[in-house]
Amino acid sequence: MILGGWPFPLDLRARAPKLKWFHQRPAGASNLLIGDLWGSDVAVTTSRGAGNTLAMAEYAVAGILHFAKGLDRALTDRAAGKFDHRAYRPLMIEGKTACVVGAGGIGLDVGRLCAALGMRVVGTRRTPLQPGEPLPSGFSELGGPADLDRFLPDSDFVAICCQWTPETTRLFDKDRFALMKKGSILVNVARGEIVDEDALAEALDQGRLRGVVLDVYVGEFEHLPPARLWSDPRVLITPHISGASDDERHRGVDLFCDNLRAYLAGRPLHNVIDWDRGY
């Protein structure tokens, strides 16, 4: 068994032919796609739901507030060396609708914080609520993937928090951006591949979005963000730091220890990757 972090050896299965179980501290599974563990007979577990979910939720809310309150204009004014008071168009947060795409560990915290600010919160997850299952704290409605298109036209803020899988690759494409409420704000704290960046740039060119906050982008570990997005004042891009804070609450090692006890006792492990599902 191996407890790993980021990055991990791409040929780990070949180098450790007797390996039975690998646990990675990161919450997502997409980094494993390029290694030889993916689809192998090795049991692979992740720290899904045990990361710094609250820090990431606070980042998402901060991103919403950055553009909702017009703080982006302050940067433009500073660069121009003068104020343009009429260009500021602050929004009242209370009463607005926030859509959480992927109401898992991160998404549940995003929804709770948005509700605490007075927003109406709707969301999606892989499986809709089952009969008798209570709504998560702060959510007024929680649906399945098919409900996303119904939620987008009424959502002032959209937070992408879902796993990157074949089903969510370029989930936000030209058609989805066309469905989004004009003047809405998009925040992505999941994976860059969930957003079609060309379609995003077109939506910005069309003036459909008030602001975009990206903590991730396609190829983030290989190159800088696309210049077309990074140079746009309506786009705020950070280098995958939404989970960082001065208060370390990552419970990945605790989850590994729980799984280790289960492994030694012959019990099922938590957070085993389903290769077909993608996480």
Side-chain angles (χ1 to χ4, degrees):
M1 63 193 72
I2 295 176
L3 170 63
W6 177 273
F8 77 104
L10 300 183
D11 58 347
L12 186 57
R13 183 71 183 88
R15 295 168 62 180
K18 295 182 179 180
L19 181 64
K20 299 296 183 184
W21 168 38
F22 175 82
H23 177 81
Q24 71 158 356
R25 195 166 178 269
S30 59
N31 63 301
L32 300 172
L33 283 166
I34 58 176
D36 63 359
L37 285 178
W38 195 269
S40 71
D41 58 349
V42 176
V44 179
T45 55
T46 71
S47 298
R48 176 167 50 89
N52 287 344
T53 59
L54 181 57
M56 298 178 74
E58 290 180 347
Y59 173 100
V61 172
I64 290 172
L65 290 170
H66 176 79
F67 284 106
K69 294 303 180 183
L71 302 184
D72 55 310
R73 285 297 317 176
L75 300 178
T76 301
D77 286 352
R78 183 172 65 183
K82 61 180 181 180
F83 287 114
D84 182 358
H85 294 78
R86 290 176 295 181
Y88 287 79
R89 296 178 293 110
L91 300 177
M92 181 67 72
I93 294 296
E94 186 177 40
K96 296 297 191 295
T97 297
C99 177
V100 177
V101 184
I106 302 165
L108 291 177
D109 275 342
V110 172
R112 182 172 57 83
L113 294 184
C114 287
L117 289 173
M119 302 181 214
R120 172 179 174 266
V121 181
V122 299
T124 65
R125 66 181 192 184
R126 185 180 179 89
T127 56
L129 282 178
Q130 300 304 303
E133 184 180 356
L135 277 169
S137 176
F139 283 78
S140 63
E141 190 173 355
L142 181 60
D147 293 295
L148 179 58
D149 290 351
R150 178 168 61 87
F151 290 149
L152 289 179
D154 297 321
S155 297
D156 302 280
F157 317 119
V158 178
I160 301 175
C161 310
C162 59
Q163 293 277 347
W164 173 35
T165 68
E167 290 77 19
T168 62
T169 298
R170 290 184 292 280
L171 178 67
F172 278 76
D173 57 10
K174 182 178 181 180
D175 294 335
R176 289 267 155 63
F177 285 119
L179 284 174
M180 290 180 68
K181 187 175 183 179
K182 186 173 177 60
S184 56
I185 295 170
L186 177 70
V187 180
N188 186 4
V189 293
R191 288 293 185 272
E193 288 79 4
I194 298 171
V195 174
D196 181 331
E197 293 178 344
D198 289 333
L200 171 59
E202 290 178 11
L204 287 163
D205 288 345
Q206 295 166 3
R208 295 200 56 82
L209 303 173
R210 180 185 179 101
V212 178
V213 182
L214 304 175
D215 189 44
V216 290
Y217 59 89
V218 178
E220 62 183 285
F221 298 110
E222 302 164 7
H223 52 73
L224 292 173
R228 186 179 179 185
L229 294 178
W230 210 13
S231 62
D232 193 317
R234 296 165 297 178
V235 181
L236 181 66
I237 304 179
T238 53
H240 209 138
I241 50 80
S242 60
S245 77
D246 61 334
D247 185 354
E248 175 61 50
R249 298 187 182 184
H250 200 298
R251 296 180 290 108
V253 174
D254 293 336
L255 177 58
F256 169 76
C257 291
D258 290 341
N259 267 343
L260 179 58
R261 286 187 284 269
Y263 181 84
L264 295 175
R267 300 194 305 270
L269 303 179
H270 298 290
N271 284 8
V272 178
I273 294 178
D274 181 325
W275 304 122
D276 293 329
R277 187 176 63 182
Y279 63 91

